[in-house]
Amino acid sequence: MAPPRRSSSFTAIYGYDVLLGSIAAFYVFMVPFTKVEESFNVQAMHDILYHGHHIDNYDHLEFPGVVPRTFIGALLVSVLASPMVLAINLLHLPKIYSLLAVRLALGFFILATLRFLRVQIKDKFGLQVEAFFVILVAIQFHMLFYCTRPLPNILALGLVNLSYGYWLKGSFHATLRCLIFATVVFRCDMLLLLCPLGLELLLTKSISLWEAIKCCAGAVLFSIGLTILVDSIMWQTLLWPEFNVFWFNSVLNRSSEWGTQPFYWYFTSALPRSLLVAYPLIMFGVILDRRILFYMLPILSFVILYSKLPHKELRFIISSVPIFNLSAAVAASRIYNNRKKSFWNLLYIALLSLLVISLGCTAITFMASYQNYPSGYALKTLHRVGHTKNTTSELWVHIDTFSAMNGISRFCENDTQWRYSKEEGIPLEEFRQRNFTYLLNEHSSIKGFKCLFQVDGFSRIRLKVDFPLISMVKEPKVYIHGNLHNTDIMHRIWPGCS
């Protein structure tokens, strides 16, 4: 009888972690490629794992990006993933498996911090609230999809999860230290969360002003010193990356060049899409449990303050999702406990219906995301079918800016025979004068090259009157061209382009 008890004990302790980890891993394996927002940390992790101390070979020195970013997150994830990457190299597997390894390592770190928060939720609000918290996270798409994506926002999210856990636990000094480190090192905009939370702690006398000054000063000095030390070495110049980001986004307000949204966008678009069923439950949680208001006020302030910045993206406020889910879980738990009463029974039926609808929305969003990395699939297909008879000659592939932004990283490259160029600014008419074997390009016709095949990507969702009611509309996104002077390529049969 001992083995069943051990199995039951494992399930009780780690069951929720296995559930959330399995869903996150499913997203990794089904959608392995990355986008431009993740490019710095993805390339940095590749270079740390494959170039080591040879910093001159690192990608960021050739393509530094708009603003510099810290290497601290990439170093941490690379260390976690290094045993898996070592095994992958010993087995001579393609580098794309290393991309899976680093994403799984990042997901492990984020979900470990989420576990810490979940344990504090259980201790403060009970097992049932914890269960509903896990259910809400599991059926929401964005949290588990993003938790393996090496965005600065996600690296900051790990520390924010820890700070929330310490907040619930009553360890307010640790709460502030985690938020300060996240602000100084990973995302300067976490200051919009740190300030309201710190002010609330002062106003409620949870921490004294002198204690806050001592705690914050030490954390700030340590964080600034660490990031300047590490990043000055990696960037080969004296640098505090997040200060540059702060100056670019907040002082110069250059982030608006990437598009703007109205003030209310987070409340009418981003939060409903990310929270799903949890969104209408948030206010119920505040009403039904007075303790929730203490945790909700700084988070609402964070989103309101962030709404004043013109450039908006869902990932910017993903750090607010755990506390919103906590409030919704409290409401769901109360509805479940009172489900046998007439009025509450109607709410319970509505809750079950919204959970099912949310699951359907998550499935639709996943299918759209699956089709949203056309360049990764294009390069993968080219590697499989693009070899020439002359195995000694190098195959030069040019990757245009659009392709580099939509699914391709250095983890997608093959070391044998293939060579790659991401040179920018080449006019279309100049490609015929270059010696590229293949082009991955957003244009369907380029002089001197033949369009060999195309890869479609997600365009929009279309509603229909017949079954299925929803369909994914795809359109050509990336075109793969072959050099007309390469007879081996021209004598083969290709699908062509429409």
Side-chain angles (χ1 to χ4, degrees):
M1 296 299 293
R5 283 200 297 271
R6 286 198 296 269
S7 176
S8 176
S9 176
F10 178 86
T11 303
I13 298 173
Y14 299 109
Y16 291 146
D17 303 304
V18 171
L19 171 64
L20 298 180
S22 298
I23 297 171
F26 171 79
Y27 290 146
V28 170
F29 288 109
M30 293 302 296
V31 190
F33 305 111
T34 56
K35 286 220 171 205
V36 62
E37 296 88 354
E38 308 156 67
S39 62
F40 171 76
N41 280 308
V42 169
Q43 311 291 33
M45 290 186 289
H46 171 276
D47 294 341
I48 291 167
L49 291 166
Y50 285 94
H51 297 310
H53 63 279
H54 300 289
I55 298 177
D56 291 341
N57 295 329
Y58 279 36
D59 182 86
H60 71 286
L61 297 178
E62 183 179 0
F63 301 100
V66 179
V67 288
R69 289 290 184 182
T70 182
F71 270 84
I72 292 176
L75 284 165
L76 171 64
V77 176
S78 298
V79 169
L80 291 175
S82 57
M84 289 185 286
V85 174
L86 177 61
I88 288 166
N89 292 335
L90 291 175
L91 294 172
H92 301 290
L93 297 174
K95 283 198 293 187
I96 188 66
Y97 289 95
S98 296
L99 177 59
L100 299 178
V102 296
R103 287 190 56 197
L104 289 172
L106 174 60
F108 174 82
F109 168 70
I110 299 299
L111 292 180
T113 64
L114 191 66
R115 171 185 168 79
F116 175 73
L117 170 59
R118 178 173 58 75
V119 170
Q120 308 315 314
I121 290 174
K122 179 183 67 174
D123 292 342
K124 195 171 187 68
F125 294 95
L127 288 167
Q128 197 164 280
V129 173
E130 177 199 21
F132 275 107
F133 178 84
V134 172
I135 291 170
L136 292 174
V137 173
I139 66 172
Q140 293 165 352
F141 174 76
H142 292 92
M143 178 62 76
L144 295 181
F145 183 78
Y146 274 111
C147 78
T148 64
R149 299 199 162 272
L151 296 155
N153 314 80
I154 299 304
L155 294 167
L157 175 63
L159 288 162
V160 172
N161 285 339
L162 291 176
S163 73
Y164 288 157
Y166 285 122
W167 193 17
L168 290 170
K169 194 177 181 180
S171 301
F172 302 125
H173 291 87
T175 301
L176 294 176
R177 289 190 186 102
C178 289
L179 284 178
I180 287 169
F181 192 87
T183 302
V184 172
V185 176
F186 293 121
R187 286 293 303 192
C188 59
D189 46 26
M190 287 297 101
L191 186 67
L192 301 177
L193 176 60
L194 173 63
C195 289
L197 198 155
L199 181 62
E200 183 184 69
L201 293 179
L202 289 173
L203 292 176
T204 57
K205 298 183 179 179
S206 301
I207 187 173
S208 70
L209 179 60
W210 177 242
E211 289 176 336
I213 291 173
K214 289 193 297 182
C215 169
C216 293
V220 167
L221 291 175
F222 171 78
S223 302
I224 293 176
L226 180 63
T227 186
I228 289 178
L229 174 64
V230 172
D231 294 308
S232 295
I233 294 172
M234 302 306 292
W235 285 92
Q236 300 184 346
T237 184
L238 187 64
L239 182 67
W240 174 11
E242 276 310 296
F243 180 80
N244 288 38
V245 175
F246 171 79
W247 190 266
F248 183 89
N249 288 338
S250 301
V251 179
L252 301 179
N253 196 24
R254 294 281 303 278
S255 62
S256 58
E257 296 174 7
W258 279 260
T260 61
Q261 298 290 349
F263 176 86
Y264 52 80
W265 185 81
Y266 284 130
F267 294 97
T268 59
S269 180
L271 286 175
R273 284 185 289 120
S274 59
L275 294 170
L276 299 175
V277 63
Y279 194 54
L281 292 174
I282 292 172
M283 291 311 299
F284 282 102
V286 174
I287 295 168
L288 294 171
D289 193 326
R290 292 181 181 179
R291 296 173 295 176
I292 291 296
L293 185 61
F294 177 73
Y295 301 104
M296 281 291 296
L297 285 176
I299 309 308
L300 280 173
S301 301
F302 166 64
V303 178
I304 291 170
L305 289 171
Y306 223 134
S307 297
K308 294 181 69 66
L309 296 177
H311 179 59
K312 298 178 176 66
E313 294 186 40
L314 186 153
R315 60 190 172 94
F316 292 167
I317 60 161
I318 199 167
S319 295
S320 66
V321 170
I323 297 299
F324 285 140
N325 277 339
L326 169 59
S327 181
V330 168
S333 176
R334 186 68 65 88
I335 292 170
Y336 178 81
N337 288 337
N338 293 279
R339 66 190 183 282
K340 294 184 179 179
K341 300 175 184 178
S342 56
F343 172 73
W344 290 92
N345 184 254
L346 293 175
L347 292 178
Y348 180 61
I349 293 171
L351 173 62
L352 293 178
S353 301
L354 288 173
L355 287 170
V356 173
I357 292 171
S358 295
L359 195 59
C361 291
T362 292
I364 293 169
T365 309
F366 165 71
M367 288 188 289
S369 297
Y370 179 78
Q371 303 288 344
N372 212 21
Y373 298 81
S375 308
Y377 296 111
L379 188 59
K380 180 181 178 181
T381 303
L382 181 61
H383 286 154
R384 189 177 70 250
V385 302
H387 286 283
T388 58
K389 292 180 180 178
N390 184 0
T391 57
T392 59
S393 63
E394 292 182 338
L395 303 175
W396 276 94
V397 181
H398 181 268
I399 300 167
D400 76 338
T401 301
F402 177 85
S403 300
M405 293 171 62
N406 289 279
I408 293 178
S409 68
R410 289 200 170 186
F411 282 108
C412 300
E413 299 174 357
N414 281 355
D415 290 331
T416 56
Q417 195 178 6
W418 297 88
R419 296 294 178 267
Y420 307 87
S421 169
K422 293 191 295 181
E423 184 181 347
E424 299 176 354
I426 302 177
L428 289 180
E429 58 273 11
E430 191 178 316
F431 277 111
R432 66 191 305 173
Q433 302 170 20
R434 301 295 189 96
N435 197 31
F436 293 119
T437 314
Y438 296 106
L439 307 179
L440 266 68
N441 205 282
E442 62 178 319
H443 296 93
S444 59
S445 177
I446 299 177
K447 290 183 179 180
F449 289 81
K450 175 185 177 181
C451 191
L452 306 177
F453 63 94
Q454 67 191 31
V455 175
D456 295 342
F458 173 76
S459 175
R460 65 188 185 278
I461 294 174
R462 182 172 62 193
L463 300 178
K464 301 189 300 181
V465 294
D466 55 343
F467 187 83
L469 298 176
I470 297 174
S471 65
M472 299 289 160
V473 177
K474 297 188 291 183
E475 60 184 27
K477 295 287 187 178
V478 179
Y479 299 90
I480 294 80
H481 303 268
N483 195 315
L484 286 172
H485 297 294
N486 191 309
T487 56
D488 186 13
I489 295 175
M490 292 302 107
H491 287 161
R492 294 163 62 184
I493 298 175
W494 298 92
C497 303
S498 58

